[in-house]
Amino acid sequence: MRAFLQLAALVAALPSLLIAASPLAAGSPVSKIAKITHPSKNGSDFTINGKTGYFAGTNSYWIGFLTNNDDIDLVMQHLKTSGLEVLRVWGFNDVTSTPTDGTVYYQSFAGGKPTINTGSNGLQRLDYVVKSAEAHGIKLIINFVNNWTDYGGMAAYFSYAGISDNTQWYTSNKAQTQYRKYIKAVVSRYTNSPAVFAWELANEPRCNGCDTKIITNWIKKTSKYIKSLDPNHMVTIGEEGFGLKVGDDGSYPYTYAEGTDFAANCGVADIDFCTYHLYPDSWSVSPAKQWGNAWIKNHDKVCKAAGKPCVLEEFGYSNNCAVEGAWEATALKAPSTGGDMFWQYGDTLSTGQTHQDGNTVYYGTDLYDCLVTKHVAAIDAAYA
């Protein structure tokens, strides 16, 4: 989803804030845990904190860019009390010119030399997100790069790697070598953390006009590399689910034009579960509720054939609970789907409300009650 990634106003206001004191001691990297139980897949469900079943989750691309620890703790506490178990966060924040005002960034390509920022305005901010998640029992999906230019994305690598577009990024030795260095830098910080639900290759990887084997091969190589670094945590892709023969209605998302083959990607050995997204407005498909329900069921069939759980990882429809609630109900009933995660979580922080991108669901509102409280109750009833 692109429209969400316009946090400039909020992020610009944050660097001027001092990192707030918190009951959780911020360390880098996150401290080792003596006895660790990692989240895992169990058939079409997941085991989280010793409990096996279907999970409800959400997305917060901005939480790792906050500089106030109390704000992070507030979000984690609200997720916990709401029954939301998994939070997807951006594990990337790439820049091509290094900020001098304290703005949070994780990797800089300034001057043609990649530098991974492990300082207090770098990965230490992600450290605190992981530490707070540990304290509150929340699990995290952490990804490593963006298909879109928001927060740098693959485009941040272009000048350094001598390439000009995303289609070249997947096969550029220079880009992939640095990408792997970044992956190692992040994964090594949290290998022992029980808060990591899964490592994710990218946000919405596409390779427009490419042979689908390019992305599938990239998935094979990258997922194998991540497993070599950390065999204990799950790995997933972060794709939208494009390129699908099952139930093909001729609409654009079912085509292979973006260089992705959902079934082939889902079948990669080192991918533990398969992700897909759902945005009828952005994709110009209708009617939204019916089309979305079919999209969910068709991906579920592919996951069943692959013997892996599906996760509806992002979905939104202009804060329409009648439509989005129907999708949640369909996903919950789908036999090979193990979780869903609405886009996106919103809250009121020390700086005010988080960004409303047209799909933000704010904690404590009637919409939140409809999409979260009632849905979590339905999950609890289904697994009672």
Side-chain angles (χ1 to χ4, degrees):
M1 181 68 177
R2 295 193 68 178
F4 64 81
L5 296 174
Q6 297 174 3
L7 188 62
L10 176 59
V11 171
L14 292 174
S16 61
L17 300 175
L18 294 175
I19 295 175
S22 170
L24 298 178
S28 175
V30 171
S31 59
K32 294 183 178 181
I33 308 297
K35 186 177 180 181
I36 302 170
T37 302
H38 297 301
S40 61
K41 61 181 179 179
N42 189 327
S44 62
D45 290 325
F46 295 95
T47 299
I48 302 173
N49 294 327
K51 178 183 175 183
T52 299
Y54 185 103
F55 74 81
T58 186
N59 292 263
S60 171
Y61 69 92
W62 41 262
I63 194 167
F65 312 148
L66 299 177
T67 56
N68 186 321
N69 292 346
D70 288 342
D71 285 339
I72 295 171
D73 290 339
L74 177 72
V75 170
M76 293 297 178
Q77 181 60 39
H78 286 168
L79 295 176
K80 180 179 180 179
T81 57
S82 301
L84 293 173
E85 297 181 275
V86 181
L87 179 67
R88 180 167 173 255
V89 303
W90 274 197
F92 60 84
N93 190 354
D94 304 311
V95 298
T96 54
S97 59
T98 305
T100 58
D101 60 355
T103 297
V104 175
Y105 72 95
Y106 297 161
Q107 181 173 223
S108 173
F109 288 87
K113 182 180 180 181
T115 303
I116 297 170
N117 181 12
T118 59
S120 60
N121 67 331
L123 287 174
Q124 288 183 35
R125 300 314 306 141
L126 188 59
D127 286 347
Y128 193 82
V129 172
V130 175
K131 189 169 282 289
S132 184
E134 288 178 357
H136 292 89
I138 302 300
K139 307 306 177 185
L140 305 172
I141 295 176
I142 302 175
N143 50 26
F144 301 116
V145 72
N146 200 3
N147 171 68
W148 311 108
T149 57
D150 307 277
Y151 301 99
M154 296 174 187
Y157 291 72
F158 288 178
S159 180
Y160 165 72
I163 58 178
S164 59
D165 60 46
N166 287 17
T167 65
Q168 299 170 317
W169 184 88
Y170 297 97
T171 55
S172 164
N173 287 333
K174 202 168 183 180
Q176 291 304 306
T177 297
Q178 183 57 34
Y179 170 60
R180 288 191 177 197
K181 287 180 180 178
Y182 184 73
I183 289 174
K184 185 175 182 179
V186 175
V187 170
S188 63
R189 299 176 82 82
Y190 316 123
T191 303
N192 295 307
S193 176
V196 176
F197 185 78
W199 303 116
E200 186 169 270
L201 274 60
N203 175 54
E204 301 186 333
R206 295 184 182 187
C207 190
N208 185 266
C210 298
D211 186 316
T212 59
K213 291 184 177 64
I214 291 177
I215 280 190
T216 302
N217 288 336
W218 167 74
I219 292 169
K220 288 178 180 177
K221 293 176 182 178
T222 308
S223 58
K224 183 177 181 180
Y225 175 68
I226 296 171
K227 287 289 189 179
S228 75
L229 299 173
D230 179 6
N232 297 316
H233 285 114
M234 293 184 287
V235 176
T236 193
I237 302 168
E239 67 174 320
E240 296 157 283
F242 292 170
L244 193 66
K245 289 182 180 178
V246 177
D248 183 2
D249 64 2
S251 62
Y252 189 78
Y254 280 91
T255 73
Y256 299 82
E258 295 295 346
T260 61
D261 181 332
F262 181 75
N265 298 345
C266 186
V268 171
D270 288 313
I271 294 301
D272 292 288
F273 62 91
C274 312
T275 63
Y276 64 99
H277 299 176
L278 175 52
Y279 293 105
D281 272 350
S282 298
W283 301 344
S284 301
V285 291
S286 62
K289 183 166 74 172
Q290 293 86 340
W291 192 94
N293 284 337
W295 183 250
I296 293 166
K297 293 174 183 177
N298 291 334
H299 284 82
D300 186 82
K301 292 174 183 177
V302 174
C303 288
K304 182 178 181 180
K308 300 177 181 181
C310 260
V311 172
L312 174 54
E313 188 183 54
E314 287 188 27
F315 62 92
Y317 188 66
S318 303
N319 291 338
N320 187 321
C321 189
V323 173
E324 295 176 64
W327 295 341
E328 290 178 332
T330 299
L332 177 57
K333 292 176 183 176
S336 291
T337 299
D340 63 74
M341 309 175 70
F342 68 90
W343 185 277
Q344 65 167 323
Y345 179 83
D347 213 327
T348 302
L349 309 180
S350 61
T351 53
Q353 280 196 333
T354 57
H355 180 231
Q356 172 59 268
D357 68 348
N359 288 310
T360 303
V361 182
Y362 289 102
Y363 175 81
T365 62
D366 289 343
L367 179 64
Y368 194 90
D369 180 63
C370 183
L371 286 178
V372 178
T373 309
K374 293 179 180 178
H375 183 42
V376 169
I379 294 170
D380 290 344
Y383 283 83

